Amino acid sequence: DIQMTQSPSSLSASIGDRVTITCRASQGINNYLAWFQQKPGRAPKSLIYAVSSLHSGVPSKFSGSGSGTDFTLTISSLQPEDFATYYCQQYYNYPPTFGQGTKVEIK
Amino acid sequence: EVQLLESGGDLVQPGRSLRLSCVGSGFTFSSFEMNWVRQAPGKGLEWVAYISDTGATVHYADSVEGRFTISRDNAKNSLFLQMISLRAEDTAVYYCTRMRATWVGSDYWGQGTLVTVSS
């Protein structure tokens, strides 16, 4: 199975901060990389697919980048509604695997 | 508006069975591949099972292979997960997800249904 490792596991940030979360795959995933946002008690929400494409309705403050085995999710200016846990996922082959999550908290 | 609505979660004893359902609306259900993903309490996300748009192809996580069966009824816009020989470690919220395309992955998630396996 492909292992997905996110860092950091948690971070504290202030409103307006630029936040970056990284995700590393244990092998190449041909850019089949997605990001999800989950708020407490809620279902995950799909943010990004294919490394950098935003799903419909996702604000442009979210962006994704990377290639090969190293990928990044960036939130350009953190807002109160962005405090959540973020997961990366590879869907290049089965089983699709998720990172362990990064919890973004208010400083 | 795309909606996925899961149901069937319950408290069950170890070794018993349960069937989850997910009804899709707001889109042509038969044109989309579907998944089940679960989340144990306080834990991360774990993919469980996949089914193609026709139902001809399925995949399972090793942790559920041989115990869980994914299926669908396109005439009823419904996805199912039949679970047998349930274990305590199957306790989780189960989400169904729609796959927009193989190269896109999951785009919509249901609200989830809670399965608790305990004596």
Side-chain angles (χ1 to χ4, degrees):
Chain A
D1 298 0
I2 297 175
Q3 305 302 313
M4 304 299 290
T5 304
Q6 285 181 238
S7 60
S9 296
S10 64
L11 65 90
S12 295
S14 300
I15 301 298
D17 282 354
R18 180 183 181 90
V19 168
T20 298
I21 299 168
T22 63
C23 178
R24 173 165 288 176
S26 60
Q27 65 188 73
I29 57 174
N30 200 27
N31 290 349
Y32 282 58
L33 190 281
W35 290 96
F36 304 95
Q37 175 195 64
Q38 187 178 33
K39 298 178 181 180
R42 303 289 298 275
K45 174 185 176 183
S46 299
L47 296 178
I48 288 172
Y49 64 94
V51 177
S52 59
S53 296
L54 269 60
H55 281 285
S56 175
V58 175
S60 58
K61 61 181 171 181
F62 292 98
S63 63
S65 63
S67 63
T69 60
D70 294 314
F71 305 94
T72 298
L73 172 69
T74 299
I75 309 172
S76 60
S77 177
L78 203 64
Q79 297 302 306
E81 63 270 20
D82 303 328
F83 291 95
T85 298
Y86 294 83
Y87 295 91
C88 63
Q89 182 207 33
Q90 70 78 19
Y91 52 101
Y92 178 54
N93 62 16
Y94 285 91
T97 45
F98 293 90
Q100 80 279 14
T102 296
K103 187 174 184 179
V104 177
E105 300 175 300
I106 301 173
K107 181 182 286 184
Chain B
E1 179 191 7
V2 172
Q3 289 191 331
L4 297 169
L5 185 61
E6 302 95 335
S7 61
D10 203 351
L11 169 63
V12 296
Q13 294 180 328
R16 302 300 291 265
S17 301
L18 200 62
R19 188 194 199 206
L20 305 183
S21 300
C22 168
V23 176
S25 60
F27 64 101
T28 303
F29 185 81
S30 60
S31 296
F32 290 85
E33 303 159 65
M34 302 290 293
N35 289 288
W36 287 99
V37 175
R38 68 184 180 183
Q39 186 171 37
K43 303 298 184 182
L45 300 170
E46 179 189 16
W47 171 81
V48 173
Y50 156 91
I51 189 166
S52 63
D53 53 354
T54 64
T57 301
V58 297
H59 297 290
Y60 297 98
D62 287 347
S63 58
V64 307
E65 179 87 54
R67 300 187 299 121
F68 289 12
T69 302
I70 188 171
S71 62
R72 63 192 298 161
D73 183 342
N74 286 340
K76 296 183 178 179
N77 294 339
S78 295
L79 173 73
F80 306 103
L81 188 66
Q82 178 69 49
M83 305 183 292
I84 68 171
S85 303
L86 282 162
R87 306 167 180 168
E89 54 265 36
D90 296 318
T91 294
V93 175
Y94 285 74
Y95 299 100
C96 63
T97 81
R98 188 187 85 162
M99 288 182 66
R100 202 178 96 192
T102 300
W103 64 279
V104 172
S106 294
D107 60 350
Y108 284 93
W109 296 63
Q111 88 291 344
T113 188
L114 176 62
V115 173
T116 303
V117 184
S118 175
S119 54

